[in-house]
Amino acid sequence: KLRKDIIVYGSGGITILTPVDTVFSKNTILELGIKSKGAVLTTLHFHIFITSDGTLWRFGETLEQLGYDEFLSGVSNPIISYDSVNDLVYICNGTLGYVYNHSNRSLGKCNPKISGIVYYNGASHVLGSGTIVNPTTSIKLNPTDLNTTYFKYISSVEIGGTYNNTSLTIAYRNTS
């Protein structure tokens, strides 16, 4: 459902059913069907879906082709999940995973096993098939000499979040 209309997603196309008195008027908006039954995300304000050719679409006030078929055409039987707090759409099938940033309209890779995200007591809980492993993250900053050749000391490093098996490596140079 989107506003007062019922949206029907099928293998043969996308159709809007609009109530008229005691019946519905039918309007097919796209002749191309969805990729699979998990390839549709519905919210109260918009829908996102993937058609059988792998194209990502958004249906809100209007139907908008987002594209990304060069990436999503290879994702068979995708499951689309929505992180409403961060406005992120996860498109995964256990082997391939992509995240679409709804706010800035960008697509990137993510863990392929994500099948849902829920928030409970203010904390996010990611659901998925099997163990979900966060990728190794590396942050490298440019050297800072503060206009002096004296030795510098690092007294603490603060990392926010919950991490297992965390390590820290400090790269340095000595030009003296």
Side-chain angles (χ1 to χ4, degrees), residues 35-79:
K35 196 164 183 80
S36 66
K37 66 180 180 179
V40 178
L41 165 75
T42 63
T43 72
L44 294 175
H45 306 290
F46 65 90
H47 293 185
I48 289 191
F49 60 94
I50 303 171
T51 50
S52 57
D53 66 349
T55 303
L56 188 65
W57 295 78
R58 181 185 187 279
F59 187 37
E61 294 297 320
T62 61
L63 182 63
E64 179 183 4
Q65 182 177 352
L66 302 173
Y68 304 109
D69 52 307
E70 65 271 28
F71 302 102
L72 302 178
S73 61
V75 182
S76 59
N77 298 315
I79 295 176

Side-chain angles (χ1 to χ4, degrees), residues 122-144:
S124 68
H125 299 273
V126 179
L127 311 172
S129 58
T131 303
I132 296 177
V133 179
N134 288 327
T136 301
T137 302
S138 174
I139 300 171
K140 185 175 181 181
L141 304 174
N142 291 327
T144 303

